[in-house]
Amino acid sequence: MKKIVTLLFAVTTCFMQQRLSAQTDSAYLDLPRFRVSRSSVQSFTIKGEELAKMPFTDFSQAIGVWVGPALATGSTIVYVVDGQMVNDVNIYSIHDIESITFLQSGLIQLTGGTVAHQNIVLLTTKKNVSNKWQLQGAASTAFVNRGDSSAKAGLFHQYNVSASNGSEKLNYGVSAGFLHDMMPQPETARFEKNSSLHQNRYRANAWLGGVFLHHHQFRLDAAYVTQKQSNAYTLLQPTSHSNTGTWKKDHVLNIKASIASSFEGGFGNRVYADFYDYHLQGNITSIDNADGFSGYTLTTEEPKLRNWMVGNRFSYDKQFHRFYLAASLDVQYRHVDYNYNNLAFRTFSTSSNPATVTVSTYWEGTYAKNWFIAPTVNFGVDSLLNMQAGAVAIYHPLRTAIHENRVLPFGAASFDVLKSINRNSPVSLRLYTSVAAISSMPELGWANLSNLTTQQNLLMDYNSLKARPWASFDPYQVYADVRYVHFQGGVRLGLWQNKLIADYTYDKNQSVSPQQPIYTVPGGYGFGGSVSQPPRYLTTNYTRHRLAISAQTDIGKLHWLSVATMYYIRSKTEQAYYSVVTKDNFYTTGWANRFTLGTWQLGVDAVGVFNKAYVGGKHKSIALQQVNVGRKFTHGYVSYDVFAFTRTPFDNKQYPLFDQRRYYGIGCNIGL
């Protein structure tokens, strides 16, 4: 690791010795392994403030209406903050986010954090270059109850403060927040609640950025989050009762750094590094009493995961009149360490046996090392034509039977038909296509902050919904040989200088993945030894049709932003070993609206799912995701807005889209 860091530092230092010239990156979007031209992908961008007036503990709860609710779960979204993938986006506050870009492109599958049908969301954090202090505060509180029971309501609280200052040469800031959320629990004749399931989250962020030696931009981010979650209840039986309590505490530390340099002749270089440390402590305590019997059980589990990543991207960008050429080579090294400890202590006594004590312990540890190399080349003509091709090569120094070294090529192109005829045409008709050989490389998705949601709903199965109490990292499955062939085609129609945009996207892929293959684990990579299971293979065919319409309208003082999205998804899975075939065809829709009339603001979001397979057959469900209304005020140097909000005031009780919680509250944002 030291040699790698030294090499990257030497390369960067060497580049800094050269004469430099500025370049603009506004025409590109930064993905984790390469950049793409903005004109080459179907995307749309909203401001972070569009999501700042609804309560949520998980970012996916806020963006479902924008990307389709069935695709907004934590396992199907990859988040990129300021050009770098993040394992858990919830370490940031929405009040620190400047803009959010939703991408629809087949190339996103090669970022390394996605599977075949996932989406990518790019977030840009705020940067203060005004040369004066900016202070911001936000607070909201709400009553929380359940739509499917008469459980006693609780309270939701969320507070955020931030301070920033600086210029283009040097800017810095800090942010801190507190969040309290809870899950109302109904009581029955046999279930007595002692304390509701609730969580307290404490967050702190700091950042430092700027320019040195004229053409080198640097950025340093640090985030620390600690979260506590607990509940207690009593189960009553005719001749016994049991008191149970659960407690979990998450710790997350994330440090990111990057240096981006531009050089004479269109050359550039970016060095970046990331450190992610996750630590969870949890226990379950149970006290049992019955006629002639008493017992006490304590189970503790403690997973720890550390993820180191360092990379370098060398790039070239050149403009030749109407033509441009861009190329890059990205090299990344990632090292993951995982440890897990378990302790179970039990004591019980009966009338014939005064006391019996049992103690059991378990420990496991493993690690993974991987290199990723991604060369790309991009050619275009103004905003008319764009073509991009490249590959992602994966090298596993600790190679096993299911850790294959492989190369995944890809290609993409887009072309504006109408602007090729008339460059000044107010109407744009752009065609998109891409094809990629990809593989399951979920570098992210494990070791996230625990979530309160434990209830099954229409969109997600129980295993994906329940709180992940322990890190689910397994290097044998993380880089298992899952192969995809992904094709995507699309068309975008833009009217009135893109005030009205209609997007259609078609995705198709086929994957073949082994389940419980025969492999041998070498000593030192885990515990060593061999595992032998009959090989099973899953073949999945997946197609998705997406239609989205976004419109911005200004009528006098009224501004209306509306985005409507509909997906038709077909999935078919064949399991060769058991000869089992499962199918699912369904629609999912979302409609987001933001109205501004002078100083007044209104937001309304609705989602729906139709023909979705669920327990007992196929069903449909519609939910009103959130409504907020507020007004902005300005007095001298102080600006603030007050608002009232409700989250999921209406949801299908029998086939819910969400977790049946209802929020009704008020909030205030203030800036100096």
Side-chain angles (χ1 to χ4, degrees), residues 397-418:
L398 300 172
R399 186 176 179 182
T400 67
I402 60 172
H403 286 69
E404 293 187 0
N405 301 324
R406 49 194 182 272
V407 178
L408 308 171
F410 67 89
S414 67
F415 177 67
D416 196 312
V417 177
L418 297 182

Side-chain angles (χ1 to χ4, degrees), residues 81-318:
V81 179
D82 295 330
Q84 290 184 228
M85 279 190 295
V86 295
N87 194 70
D88 195 339
V89 71
N90 296 306
I91 63 176
Y92 294 88
S93 166
I94 187 61
H95 299 282
D96 298 331
I97 301 300
E98 179 68 30
S99 64
I100 304 165
T101 300
F102 303 94
L103 265 67
Q104 303 290 331
S105 172
L107 297 184
I108 67 176
Q109 316 300 339
L110 291 156
T111 60
T114 62
V115 295
H117 59 278
Q118 292 178 326
N119 292 272
I120 193 168
V121 177
L122 308 181
L123 295 93
T124 302
T125 56
K126 293 180 179 179
K127 182 173 66 172
N128 181 10
V129 295
S130 63
N131 274 317
K132 61 181 181 180
W133 281 100
Q134 291 183 356
L135 306 177
Q136 293 184 325
S140 59
T141 185
F143 288 101
V144 186
N145 62 14
R146 291 175 65 109
D148 61 343
S149 70
S150 58
K152 184 179 180 181
L155 289 176
F156 168 92
H157 302 289
Q158 190 171 28
Y159 307 99
N160 185 79
V161 294
S162 64
S164 61
N165 197 356
S167 62
E168 289 288 353
K169 291 186 177 180
L170 182 66
N171 52 84
Y172 44 88
V174 294
S175 172
F178 169 76
L179 180 146
H180 172 82
D181 199 5
M182 57 89 63
M183 172 74 75
Q185 294 172 284
E187 294 189 5
T188 65
R190 294 188 177 183
F191 180 87
E192 183 179 287
K193 176 187 62 180
N194 299 332
S195 65
S196 293
L197 179 61
H198 64 279
Q199 69 180 28
N200 293 322
R201 179 184 299 170
Y202 302 86
R203 176 193 52 80
N205 299 76
W207 60 92
L208 175 67
V211 178
F212 65 98
L213 297 180
H214 302 295
H215 301 291
H216 302 282
Q217 297 182 355
F218 71 93
R219 175 81 181 193
L220 177 64
D221 291 87
Y224 177 74
V225 179
T226 181
Q227 175 179 282
K228 297 179 181 179
Q229 189 176 118
S230 64
N231 76 323
Y233 56 90
T234 301
L235 295 177
L236 303 174
Q237 300 293 338
T239 60
S240 66
H241 69 275
S242 173
N243 296 306
T244 301
T246 63
W247 176 86
K248 292 188 292 184
K249 187 175 183 179
D250 301 84
H251 304 271
V252 173
L253 174 64
N254 185 217
I255 300 175
K256 300 189 301 178
S258 65
I259 300 176
S261 306
S262 56
F263 309 103
E264 194 174 60
F267 291 96
N269 193 73
R270 182 172 182 263
V271 181
Y272 54 94
D274 184 282
F275 172 73
Y276 184 87
D277 182 270
Y278 174 84
H279 180 197
L280 187 144
Q281 299 167 293
N283 65 58
I284 301 176
T285 304
S286 178
I287 301 176
D288 303 299
N289 290 282
D291 293 341
F293 173 86
S294 64
Y296 170 81
T297 303
L298 171 65
T299 303
T300 66
E301 297 188 274
E302 186 174 5
K304 297 179 181 179
L305 185 140
R306 288 184 175 179
N307 181 2
W308 292 270
M309 184 271 291
V310 62
N312 187 86
R313 182 189 302 171
F314 182 71
S315 61
Y316 172 78
D317 297 278
K318 193 67 175 180

